[in-house]
Amino acid sequence: MSGDVNRDSNRSGAFVVSEGRRKMQKAARTAGESILLLIASFVAIVVLFIFYFVAVDAVPYFQQRGFAEFFTSSNWYPAGDPGEFGALAIIYGTGMVTLGSALLAVPMGIAAAVCLSDILPFSVRQYAKPVIEMLAAIPSVAFGFFALVILAPLLQTSGGPMLMWVWWILAGPFLLLAVIVGSDLLTAGIEEPVRRKRYATMLQVLFTLLAFLVLYVVGSQLNGMQILTGTNALNVSIILSFMALPTIVSVAEDSLQSVGRELREGSYALGATRAETLVKTVLPAASSGILAAVILGIMRSLGETMVVWMASGNSSHIPDPWYNYLEAVRTLTATIAGDMGEADQVTGSARYHVLFAMGLLLLVISFISNLISERIVVRQRKILSGQ
Amino acid sequence: MNLGTRKILDRSFTALGIGSIVVMALALLIVITPIIYNGLGAVFFKGTIEHRKLLYNEFHRGDGAELEREIAEVAVYRDQAYRMLADFELELEGMDPEKAREYRMQYGPVKTALQTLLGPPPGDDSAILTRFRYGQTRWEKAEEKLHALLYESKWDYSDPDVMAKEYFVRRAESFEGTKLAPMFGFVEKNAEKMLLPRFTLYWGFLTDSSIDAHIFGGIWPEIQGTFFLAIGAMLFAFPLGVVAAIYFTEYAKDGVFTSMLRSANSTLAGVPSIVFGLFGLAFFINTLNVSESKSVLAGALTLAIMILPTIIRAAEEAILAVPKTYKEASLGLGSTKWNTIVTVILPAALPGIITGGVISLGRAAGETAPIIFTAAVSVGSAIGIADVLSSPTPALSWNIYNLASEHEAAAEIRHVQYGMVLALVSIVLLLNLSAVLLRARISKKLKG
């Protein structure tokens, strides 16, 4: 409609337009804009609909059974009559794999983001970024398949030795570093060069021995460990951390990039090394953006379905002891995906509604964390732009 | 701190950063390599005569005369093996009952093992399921089955501290002195002559329908279903997304309402994928009744909602990347705002918008959780374009889960699963790669 009006106005010699036509044009423009606005607010309508329809099917469960059972009991027997719907173990399992993946992904993601933005030369960064994007593009079911068919049997047959090597390779360099720094710090106060040297050497030898002892003892403990089931919380955490990494890296890198050059240059001018500049100046300045990255990454692993469904073992009990990552767990997403097939959709049984209650819980968590991360990003942008 | 220590700290910090990038690259490599290697095994493999027989009988492909000749060739050896079985069965009849029962118990597995290797004996048409009508179609599987025929597996529980260990006993030993004993050596020696393994390039894996719940055949219905779902989602989401992006970039005024809309967009992007599945079930199927139960339409609508925020964001970025001068020039020539958008800004931003669309297409093709309750079935034939409104479809992502976790013979059909994963991953990665290449070209062009 607005197109026609435009064509007319062009023909009439552009600027001299009669009063009636100008009114028509204006009306058309407002009509067109309100259509655009309607389409743009479609997303908001969808969000409201999602909340409404998930909540509507979740409410009957809470009406029938109350809140207490859902959050305090860990007896999950939905097939029984009337059935027990304690979701505590499932919520716990969700928290466990989310925390596990965050523990793996957050340090690695921040290190990778720092490396991308400050350490690698542009020629390498050009190729490193697409690799990370590719990791994000791989469908979750392919990761789930990998976890189930390749990683789980591997953990089951040679999990102990694998854990030992991972421990040695990861912890070895860090302990060595701790020895160097620790002895340096302890001898820092001593003035005389000779005494200081002897003292430092003694400390270094002592620390090194201690470090190797710790490395060896923990390593041999891990080596002797038997993993009874390969589909466990550890397996899921590893794969989920792969999936959360790209999100964390790209958001954290953006926020590191937005830290101004003058902060870095000021730090270098004071004689700080690159590591000191990054740790003491750049990272604190970008900290809120990094926090947002971490939240988004955690949300990615919290909301993931296929990997946890395929590789978590789907056992709804709290592991014993509570921190045992080598036991099968169950998560909210996997429960929804796995149980909906058996839940009676037509008559709307309690089993059907409890799955919607879980969906609502996920929805609320994701909504709140999204709000927080958004707030953080806005605030950081304001601070960095100096307002 | 010493200067030396500070230097060491600095270097190790650098090493940590580079190490984490290396770990991510390695993770990609570790995940991708076995998928590519084993996935290609679904297409390139050593096929036995049973595979050629199956292709000829079920898909009418291959050279009939050549096959007849080969069947005659292997029959010579097969008949001998089956005759040894028959002879042994006769011998059992004549034995004293106590001993015969003992032998029978061990004979059962031998007979089944031989049949899974070579197929049923000639003249036996009792098998109903396709999988029992043929022997091993792939040579590497046949080698496993041969091992199972020759050796009996037993478990060693003697040490209570470690898990039980498997060990193997030759079956021939337990039949020492009977007429069955020479059969084991005979089959072992002549296995290749009985199955005639030959290098096969099975393109049909991509274009055939599956037979007997994916035990044999290809993945065409899944590829087609994935295609329908992803394209359908794009049809709904792409126009909506582009129009919304135009509003956000050109018309929206800064204010509470606009920031609320933007906030809704990022909320939608953060909703867990399984919740979209729940919403699709509750809204499209149970409330709107777009179809009786699962259908491609319901699935495509659900996926469309899921990829909408990504498309909006990508289109917004593409529009913002168009140089301001274009717009000013157009407005300066007396064109209206809407005209400028349609004739100047959109064409300039189109490659960027399409890049975002292609990436979202890949995402829609790879997602599983939203289609579980809305569109996907585990076993089904390819559906025509006319059925998309009312009938569900198999899809690659869902069938990967299904074959790997719920199939009754999941361990037997690893090659199909790997082939499916490879097909899905290559579709998604190819889409992403083309988007990356497109973007590189655009940024060159915009730079001038």
Side-chain angles (χ1 to χ4, degrees):
Chain A
M1 186 177 149
S2 56
D4 294 342
V5 174
N6 291 335
R7 219 172 294 133
D8 284 349
S9 71
N10 286 342
R11 225 179 277 137
S12 71
F15 297 115
V16 191
V17 189
S18 71
E19 188 68 15
R21 191 165 273 173
R22 196 176 292 158
K23 259 185 192 163
M24 251 174 69
Q25 266 187 5
K26 202 174 178 194
R29 209 178 300 139
T30 29
E33 263 182 53
S34 43
I35 291 174
L36 279 180
L37 177 66
L38 195 72
I39 293 176
S41 43
F42 180 72
V43 172
I45 299 169
V46 165
V47 170
L48 290 182
F49 267 43
I50 290 180
F51 266 99
Y52 176 75
F53 278 95
V54 172
V56 155
D57 269 330
V59 163
Y61 166 77
F62 291 118
Q63 278 174 345
Q64 281 171 31
R65 325 267 310 192
F67 286 92
E69 187 193 19
F70 189 77
F71 290 107
T72 57
S73 156
S74 62
N75 295 325
W76 176 255
Y77 302 110
D81 189 31
E84 287 185 70
F85 301 101
L88 184 64
I90 295 171
I91 295 170
Y92 184 79
T94 309
M96 212 169 147
V97 297
T98 309
L99 183 72
S101 67
L103 284 180
L104 293 174
V106 168
M108 212 156 83
I110 294 174
V114 167
C115 181
L116 270 183
S117 80
D118 280 71
I119 293 172
L120 285 181
F122 182 74
S123 53
V124 183
R125 197 191 309 163
Q126 233 178 339
Y127 299 103
K129 265 209 119 162
V131 168
I132 294 166
E133 276 170 22
M134 244 163 86
L135 205 58
I138 292 176
S140 59
V141 71
F143 277 114
F145 182 76
F146 178 84
L148 177 69
V149 172
I150 296 170
L151 189 57
L154 205 64
L155 277 178
Q156 213 159 338
T157 51
S158 49
M162 263 168 68
L163 286 179
M164 175 187 78
W165 280 108
V166 167
W167 163 254
W168 281 359
I169 291 169
L170 281 186
F174 277 103
L175 279 176
L176 212 65
L177 204 63
V179 168
I180 294 169
V181 175
S183 52
D184 188 321
L185 286 178
L186 279 177
T187 51
I190 302 160
E191 293 282 331
E192 299 148 67
V194 186
R195 218 179 110 196
R196 174 181 161 181
K197 217 173 191 176
R198 201 178 291 156
Y199 193 44
T201 321
M202 210 173 69
L203 265 177
Q204 252 165 6
V205 170
L206 201 73
F207 273 13
T208 316
L209 283 179
L210 198 73
F212 275 116
L213 193 71
V214 171
L215 255 186
Y216 179 76
V217 168
V218 176
S220 60
Q221 286 278 328
L222 287 173
N223 190 27
M225 208 180 266
Q226 289 252 338
I227 299 180
L228 292 176
T229 161
T231 50
N232 53 30
L234 177 68
N235 184 345
V236 172
S237 299
I238 292 172
I239 302 290
L240 282 184
S241 70
F242 285 178
M243 301 185 65
L245 262 175
T247 316
I248 297 180
V249 173
S250 69
V251 180
E253 202 223 337
D254 279 348
S255 113
L256 284 171
Q257 292 278 7
S258 66
V259 174
R261 267 180 68 165
E262 61 279 5
L263 275 179
R264 293 189 174 89
E265 278 161 7
S267 173
Y268 286 134
L270 289 173
T273 62
R274 182 157 65 186
E276 286 160 353
T277 305
L278 284 168
V279 172
K280 292 186 178 160
T281 317
V282 181
L283 282 178
S287 64
S288 50
I290 289 172
L291 189 64
V294 168
I295 291 174
L296 286 179
I298 287 177
M299 281 315 300
R300 177 103 206 259
S301 35
L302 180 75
E304 176 47 48
T305 311
M306 294 318 288
V307 172
V308 285
W309 193 12
M310 289 169 95
S312 69
N314 286 327
S315 147
S316 54
H317 74 284
I318 293 174
D320 176 44
W322 56 271
Y323 50 82
N324 189 353
Y325 267 86
L326 301 176
E327 268 189 44
V329 293
R330 178 164 224 194
T331 68
L332 291 169
T333 50
T335 310
I336 297 172
D339 276 22
M340 189 54 88
E342 278 108 70
D344 188 0
Q345 294 173 28
V346 185
T347 56
S349 60
R351 194 178 183 188
Y352 172 77
H353 293 306
V354 75
L355 298 180
F356 275 86
M358 288 176 171
L360 187 65
L361 183 63
L362 281 173
L363 196 54
V364 168
I365 295 173
S366 80
F367 179 68
I368 292 173
S369 41
N370 222 319
L371 229 55
I372 294 173
S373 78
E374 207 174 305
R375 194 62 50 96
I376 290 171
V377 169
V378 169
R379 208 182 56 192
Q380 193 208 14
R381 205 170 291 149
K382 261 188 196 157
I383 292 172
L384 284 178
S385 64
Q387 281 171 357
Chain B
M1 233 186 268
N2 271 329
L3 192 62
T5 313
R6 283 174 60 197
K7 262 189 183 161
I8 290 172
L9 269 177
D10 189 37
R11 298 240 167 89
S12 48
F13 191 79
T14 310
L16 183 71
I18 292 174
S20 59
I21 296 268
V22 169
V23 166
M24 284 173 73
L26 273 181
L28 186 70
L29 206 68
I30 289 170
V31 173
I32 290 278
T33 312
I35 287 176
I36 291 179
Y37 178 76
N38 292 312
L40 288 177
V43 180
F44 305 95
F45 57 96
K46 260 183 156 180
T48 63
I49 183 174
E50 296 295 319
H51 184 256
R52 299 192 279 281
K53 231 193 267 181
L54 181 105
L55 276 189
Y56 188 75
N57 290 349
E58 309 288 337
F59 298 111
H60 312 292
R61 232 183 285 145
D63 184 356
E66 173 71 11
L67 189 67
E68 288 291 326
R69 198 187 58 72
E70 281 180 351
I71 289 177
E73 194 183 320
V74 296
V76 180
Y77 296 96
R78 290 187 176 202
D79 286 349
Q80 284 187 51
Y82 282 120
R83 202 176 313 132
M84 284 176 193
L85 283 196
D87 284 350
F88 178 68
E89 273 173 32
L90 276 181
E91 193 183 3
L92 275 179
E93 302 290 325
M95 255 184 240
D96 77 293
E98 194 65 25
K99 218 174 167 189
R101 195 185 313 138
E102 215 171 277
Y103 272 131
R104 265 204 189 101
M105 283 221 326
Q106 288 170 330
Y107 172 63
V110 173
K111 197 175 170 187
T112 339
L114 192 70
Q115 279 188 10
T116 49
L117 185 65
L118 300 177
D124 179 9
D125 291 330
S126 60
I128 297 162
L129 283 175
T130 319
R131 73 188 77 161
F132 299 125
R133 265 184 259 150
Y134 298 95
Q136 279 309 306
T137 52
R138 298 166 67 90
W139 178 244
E140 85 271 5
K141 284 270 168 202
E143 277 177 325
E144 277 169 31
K145 291 287 147 49
L146 184 66
H147 188 268
L149 174 70
L150 298 175
Y151 298 91
E152 186 180 3
S153 92
K154 288 190 172 168
W155 292 88
D156 175 18
Y157 293 101
S158 56
D159 191 347
D161 292 333
V162 291
M163 274 190 277
K165 278 197 182 117
E166 196 177 17
Y167 65 101
F168 296 100
V169 184
R170 286 189 82 91
R171 284 192 203 268
E173 278 165 22
S174 33
F175 290 98
E176 209 63 70
T178 64
K179 284 185 178 168
L180 194 64
M183 193 273 292
F184 296 99
F186 179 78
V187 174
E188 188 174 14
K189 215 177 81 190
N190 295 312
E192 288 206 27
K193 286 174 185 155
M194 289 177 178
L195 286 164
L196 292 178
R198 198 173 292 161
F199 184 75
T200 314
L201 201 168
Y202 179 42
W203 279 121
F205 181 73
L206 293 177
T207 55
D208 284 341
S209 291
S210 62
I211 300 172
D212 190 5
H214 279 289
I215 300 278
F216 306 108
I219 56 172
W220 180 245
E222 285 77 24
I223 292 180
Q224 202 197 29
T226 302
F227 180 78
F228 279 153
L229 284 168
I231 294 288
M234 279 312 281
L235 284 183
F236 290 113
F238 192 71
L240 274 178
V242 173
V243 173
I246 290 174
Y247 177 81
F248 278 127
T249 49
E250 300 294 331
Y251 288 94
K253 294 166 192 78
D254 279 339
V256 183
F257 186 67
T258 308
S259 77
M260 243 173 64
L261 287 187
R262 285 183 186 282
S263 178
N265 201 21
S266 67
T267 304
L268 195 63
V271 170
S273 53
I274 190 75
V275 176
F276 283 110
L278 282 180
F279 171 67
L281 173 70
F283 182 62
F284 292 124
I285 294 178
N286 289 351
T287 309
L288 278 191
N289 275 320
V290 296
S291 56
E292 278 297 304
S293 63
K294 295 178 186 176
S295 72
V296 176
L297 179 65
L301 284 169
T302 312
L303 284 174
I305 290 177
M306 194 193 70
I307 60 175
L308 194 57
T310 326
I311 292 183
I312 293 180
R313 219 171 272 172
E316 257 184 86
E317 262 169 43
I319 292 173
L320 286 177
V322 175
K324 273 245 159 59
T325 46
Y326 284 28
K327 190 174 153 190
E328 283 158 5
S330 170
L331 288 174
L333 286 172
S335 165
T336 58
K337 195 173 186 183
W338 179 248
N339 233 335
T340 305
I341 290 170
V342 174
T343 56
V344 177
I345 294 181
L346 272 190
L350 198 61
I353 296 176
I354 290 178
T355 309
V358 169
I359 288 177
S360 318
L361 192 68
R363 196 162 160 230
E367 269 299 334
T368 319
I371 60 170
I372 299 173
F373 318 135
T374 52
V377 282
S378 53
V379 178
S381 49
I383 58 167
I385 207 104
D387 301 325
V388 293
L389 294 183
S390 58
S391 54
T393 175
L396 278 174
S397 53
W398 170 243
N399 279 63
I400 290 166
Y401 164 78
N402 219 292
L403 292 193
S405 312
E406 289 183 355
H407 197 282
E408 53 202 318
E412 278 290 297
I413 50 164
R414 287 277 180 248
H415 56 280
V416 182
Q417 297 159 15
Y418 274 114
M420 239 181 227
V421 175
L422 181 61
L424 181 65
V425 168
S426 33
I427 287 173
V428 173
L429 286 190
L430 275 182
L431 283 174
N432 271 273
L433 193 68
S434 57
V436 168
L437 292 180
L438 201 64
R439 195 176 349 172
R441 253 179 86 179
I442 299 162
S443 65
K444 231 179 234 168
K445 203 173 148 196
L446 281 179
K447 264 182 210 157

